[in-house]
Amino acid sequence: MSNYKIHTATELWQKETCLPSIPTFSQNLDHILGNGGVQLGSLTEVLGLPGTGKTQLCLQLCASVQIPKVLSGLNAEALYIDTNTNFTPTRFKEILTASLLKCQKIEPSYLFNEEEALDRLHYINAFGIEKFCACMNRISVFVAEHPRVKLIVIDSITFPFKEGISVQKRTGLLFRQMADLQRIAMEGLVAVVLVNEMSTRLGLSGGAVVGSLGDAWAHRCNKRLLLSNPSELGGSRLALLLKSNNAPNLVAKFQITREGIRDS
Amino acid sequence: MRCVLIKMQKLTHVEGTALTDHVIKMLFQSRIITILDFLQEDVEKLSNICKLSIPQILEARNRILTKFSAPVINGSCFIDKIRKGTISIKSGVKNLDNMLNRGIPAKTITELCGIAGSGKTQLALQIAINCAKETHKTVLYIDTKGDFSALRIQKILEKCQYSFKEVAAIMSRIHISYIWTMEELVNLFKNLKNGELVIDNLVLLVIDSLPSLMFQYLGEDNKLGLSLLNSFVNYSRFICKQLNIGIICINMQTRWVDQDLTDVEDEENSTAYKDSFTEKRYRCLGRYWQHIPTLVLELEKIKENDNENNSGIKITVLHSIDSDYENRHCILCVGESGVT
């Protein structure tokens, strides 16, 4: 049963530094995330109030994962697990086409077929806790069958757990799923992005509006990105890296255009 | 699972008794293999098998019992032993070492706790770096939530102006293992105890973090998690004494808010209520764990120092076997060059 491996930090450093990242198409955002985007093998949580651009960011990442090899992209596929009907195919098509056209502009020899590009997104709608758990159980098989999937998005992680489960059971279940997911992410070198909602906890020190799922969950995630759209900035939005194991807590400004996520 | 955990020792030759190799061979043939088998078997039957007299068998049993029972030690020897044995591992973080007099105590379990994002991992990484740097010994970092960042370590060392060669040498002394379940953790510790897993010059073991594993058992009616935690604690205590190493466990705190509706005495409006909230912080892992670590350090993030992305951590001693240390505190600074 000795299935653990012991690595030295030098080995891990070599591995970490040559792992590619999925760019967000906003240099500011890429900069604060610390690795030039969402790094493969990592787990990132995106937080924010409704309408702050969480789903938009996920759609952009699903498009970015397709950047061709000539532009040192991943040329890979994405898996989108939708638990709350957040995904809109027309909007995704818009962002995907815009992103790939941008690639073509930089590298004219790159040709793409819109339909083929759309085929490279795998979509699962997992409504309700039973479907969600079943889907999480199958993820390892799915990733093994689809080795080109390099990004898994769960939008949102909170929604399946809204009702029908006690808080203790929820935490236990989530921690088990996270351990499995992280093992898959690290072994298969897949990036995982989780969308979380915000909730209100009255009387809490350090602000009453916090991410859902409690303090235990906050401890489990090692990269947390908070999005907001303050009205005084007009159309621009802000992203704050709330927590990270290797980058300082910085703020970045970005905007959401018709083409997707861009610098503002 | 249980049977695997209780180590069964094979019967061997016991000096000064009639249990010679020849007799043991006869016992093995009669399927009396472990010490436990020998102690549990009927005396007369044993006498027949070994062709020894009953007093000889009883004598052998007594010898075994004395040999394997807990030893008696007198008070002055014990104090001497403790005084000689107490060593600390320098954490290399000046304020922390000053607060704890010398450093992280060896041979016991130390806990770092704090709410999410309070800098537990950063401090643990720093202690790992400093240990590998100062003592030229090995640190084993057990990562249960993918928090370990070799890049961060390299950047800290680079900022402290170490040459590439030195950085590589320090980093080669930090060993990492990814563990995802409690069973895997207990198994690793078992192998460390049995000597199946040998790490040369080990001085410190960091577990980041225990709740990530233990919370997987939340909400289940069986006490599987608790029994695994218990095995983990027993193995850790054995290992840290045997190998003379320090063990740092990272625990988290959760905040719970109690809402008290207090009557506000107001003459004009007698039905006015005032909400007041009291926030409480609890260390996780349940009541069993609360008194296991001999030293508990609480980390708290304090107001950000605006310059150069630095922020501060306040460390308080929540619990210590030496009550002098309790409630002592110190302030550390986290920045690009690590925790100082």
Side-chain angles (χ1 to χ4, degrees):
Chain A
M1 213 176 93
S2 66
N3 42 5
Y4 53 79
K5 281 196 194 102
I6 309 239
H7 314 270
T8 70
T10 336
E11 286 165 27
L12 289 182
W13 180 80
Q14 280 164 348
K15 210 170 150 189
E16 251 179 73
T17 40
C18 59
L19 267 183
S21 296
I22 306 169
T24 58
F25 273 71
S26 154
Q27 281 185 355
N28 293 343
L29 259 179
D30 288 348
H31 173 68
I32 65 157
L33 280 169
N35 312 80
V38 179
Q39 198 171 31
L40 297 192
S42 78
L43 221 131
T44 311
E45 185 191 8
V46 179
L47 289 155
L49 289 169
T52 46
K54 304 186 292 291
T55 301
Q56 300 297 317
L57 178 60
C58 292
L59 293 179
Q60 177 66 63
L61 288 170
C62 286
S64 311
V65 88
Q66 295 199 15
I67 298 176
K69 281 251 155 68
V70 268
L71 294 172
S72 59
L74 287 163
N75 188 25
E77 300 174 3
L79 169 67
Y80 196 100
I81 301 172
D82 191 2
T83 63
N84 187 19
T85 59
N86 273 335
F87 185 83
T88 34
T90 43
R91 177 68 180 135
F92 177 65
K93 197 177 159 192
E94 203 172 53
I95 295 177
L96 182 65
T97 314
S99 304
L100 293 181
L101 272 175
K102 199 172 173 185
C103 293
Q104 200 172 39
K105 219 165 156 189
I106 305 168
E107 180 61 53
S109 66
Y110 169 63
L111 298 169
F112 70 94
N113 177 317
E114 206 171 55
E115 217 151 279
E116 270 172 27
L118 276 171
D119 279 346
R120 294 161 82 181
L121 177 88
H122 306 271
Y123 172 86
I124 298 178
N125 67 26
F127 304 148
I129 186 161
E130 295 87 0
K131 263 196 181 173
F132 180 71
C133 289
C135 162
M136 293 298 280
N137 257 328
R138 292 231 350 120
I139 269 194
S140 61
V141 181
F142 184 90
V143 172
E145 282 170 1
H146 299 79
R148 289 187 61 195
V149 168
K150 286 290 164 208
L151 171 71
I152 300 175
V153 175
I154 301 179
D155 184 7
S156 75
I157 187 84
T158 347
F159 208 74
F161 299 100
K162 290 254 186 219
E163 59 168 11
I165 188 162
S166 73
V167 175
Q168 277 214 321
K169 278 197 171 151
R170 181 188 76 189
T171 312
L173 188 60
L174 266 171
F175 270 69
R176 257 171 290 154
Q177 288 176 344
M178 286 291 281
D180 288 342
L181 203 57
Q182 200 154 27
R183 193 200 289 259
I184 294 168
M186 281 190 160
E187 283 167 8
L189 299 180
V190 178
V192 177
V193 175
L194 306 164
V195 174
N196 192 0
E197 289 154 29
M198 304 297 280
S199 76
T200 313
R201 282 178 78 185
L202 283 171
L204 206 62
S205 64
V209 183
V210 291
S212 297
L213 302 174
D215 281 346
W217 175 260
H219 170 78
R220 187 65 185 76
C221 296
N222 41 35
K223 280 204 173 67
R224 314 187 83 200
L225 187 71
L226 177 70
L227 306 183
S228 73
N229 55 345
S231 51
E232 62 271 18
L233 278 179
S236 296
R237 287 142 199 272
L238 294 178
L240 163 68
L241 192 67
L242 267 184
K243 186 184 172 191
S244 169
N245 54 351
N246 59 4
N249 303 351
L250 292 177
V251 181
K253 214 163 150 188
F254 70 100
Q255 61 172 335
I256 299 174
T257 62
R258 249 172 62 91
E259 287 86 32
I261 307 283
R262 295 291 181 269
D263 270 330
S264 76
Chain B
M1 193 73 204
R2 263 279 152 83
C3 304
V4 180
L5 294 180
I6 303 167
K7 191 169 173 176
M8 301 229 180
Q9 228 166 330
K10 209 171 167 186
L11 198 58
T12 47
H13 171 66
V14 183
E15 271 191 38
T17 64
L19 288 184
T20 57
D21 290 334
H22 177 68
V23 175
I24 287 168
K25 214 173 170 184
M26 286 197 285
L27 283 168
F28 282 180
Q29 279 165 0
S30 310
R31 296 204 165 206
I32 292 168
I33 295 167
T34 65
I35 290 173
L36 199 67
D37 290 340
F38 183 71
L39 294 176
Q40 279 175 339
E41 194 53 76
D42 182 59
V43 184
E44 267 181 53
K45 202 176 158 190
L46 285 175
S47 160
N48 280 333
I49 296 169
C50 312
K51 309 212 163 46
L52 294 169
S53 69
I54 290 179
Q56 275 177 311
I57 297 285
L58 287 177
E59 156 81 10
R61 272 199 183 179
N62 275 334
R63 285 263 177 169
I64 291 176
L65 283 176
T66 357
K67 194 181 163 196
F68 288 94
S69 67
V72 182
I73 183 169
N74 73 33
S76 60
C77 284
F78 192 43
I79 282 204
D80 261 8
K81 205 175 160 189
I82 285 188
R83 278 211 191 114
K84 272 185 206 152
T86 340
I87 46 157
S88 300
I89 299 154
K90 267 199 172 168
S91 72
V93 182
K94 216 172 113 202
N95 289 351
L96 186 67
D97 282 340
N98 286 343
M99 180 178 77
L100 298 172
N101 227 346
R102 285 212 297 272
I104 309 283
K107 294 185 176 182
T108 65
I109 301 173
T110 305
E111 174 186 318
L112 295 181
C113 69
I115 58 168
S118 55
K120 302 182 289 294
T121 298
Q122 292 303 323
L123 181 61
L125 280 181
Q126 187 68 47
I127 294 176
I129 293 175
N130 293 348
C131 257
K133 200 169 71 184
E134 309 289 338
T135 64
H136 290 272
K137 287 184 178 163
T138 315
V139 178
L140 178 61
Y141 195 99
I142 295 174
D143 188 357
T144 68
K145 58 188 181 101
D147 238 1
F148 183 83
S149 169
L151 196 64
R152 168 82 176 142
I153 288 190
Q154 183 253 326
K155 277 186 181 160
I156 289 174
L157 288 169
E158 197 184 76
K159 192 86 188 169
C160 297
Q161 285 164 352
Y162 282 90
S163 73
F164 190 72
K165 219 174 153 187
E166 285 168 313
V167 173
I170 293 168
M171 282 175 57
S172 67
R173 287 198 294 270
I174 302 177
H175 293 212
I176 300 99
S177 184
Y178 292 111
I179 294 285
W180 304 112
T181 63
M182 209 59 201
E183 278 100 344
E184 284 176 22
L185 183 68
V186 170
N187 183 39
L188 188 145
F189 272 62
K190 195 176 117 194
N191 288 351
L192 267 177
K193 183 199 163 205
N194 295 345
E196 282 167 40
L197 172 67
V198 181
I199 294 168
D200 291 332
N201 278 323
L202 190 65
V203 69
L204 182 75
L205 220 157
V206 181
I207 298 149
D208 181 10
S209 70
L210 264 185
S212 302
L213 300 177
M214 281 303 295
F215 274 20
Q216 297 177 19
Y217 298 93
L218 268 189
E220 281 179 28
D221 295 328
N222 56 40
K223 298 267 187 242
L224 198 65
L226 198 61
S227 102
L228 286 166
L229 184 64
N230 189 28
S231 326
F232 162 75
V233 168
N234 286 335
Y235 281 131
S236 331
R237 283 181 168 161
F238 183 89
I239 291 167
C240 62
K241 290 220 166 60
Q242 193 79 356
L243 305 176
N244 214 349
I245 58 171
I247 294 191
I248 296 179
C249 292
I250 295 190
N251 192 1
M252 68 165 138
Q253 285 181 315
T254 47
R255 296 168 294 181
W256 300 93
V257 182
D258 286 335
Q259 186 179 6
D260 303 318
L261 282 179
T262 45
D263 244 319
V264 179
E265 288 188 21
D266 195 319
E267 285 150 16
E268 287 166 30
N269 194 353
S270 61
T271 54
Y273 287 99
K274 188 176 172 290
D275 283 343
S276 71
F277 298 97
T278 41
E279 180 185 288
K280 282 184 186 154
R281 287 181 185 191
Y282 294 100
R283 283 163 59 205
C284 296
L285 295 178
R287 224 177 257 178
Y288 167 77
W289 176 261
Q290 302 300 306
H291 297 284
I292 298 292
T294 49
L295 177 67
V296 179
L297 302 175
E298 182 193 46
L299 278 75
E300 196 177 3
K301 198 172 185 177
I302 49 176
K303 226 181 136 243
E304 315 231 344
N305 305 356
D306 295 310
N307 53 334
E308 296 168 12
N309 314 325
N310 289 347
S311 59
I313 312 178
K314 183 183 172 193
I315 299 191
T316 318
V317 181
L318 273 193
H319 168 78
S320 163
I321 33 167
D322 192 342
S323 52
D324 280 358
Y325 291 116
E326 268 176 42
N327 297 323
R328 283 197 192 185
H329 60 84
C330 67
I331 308 279
L332 306 180
C333 169
V334 194
E336 273 181 64
S337 49
V339 182
T340 44

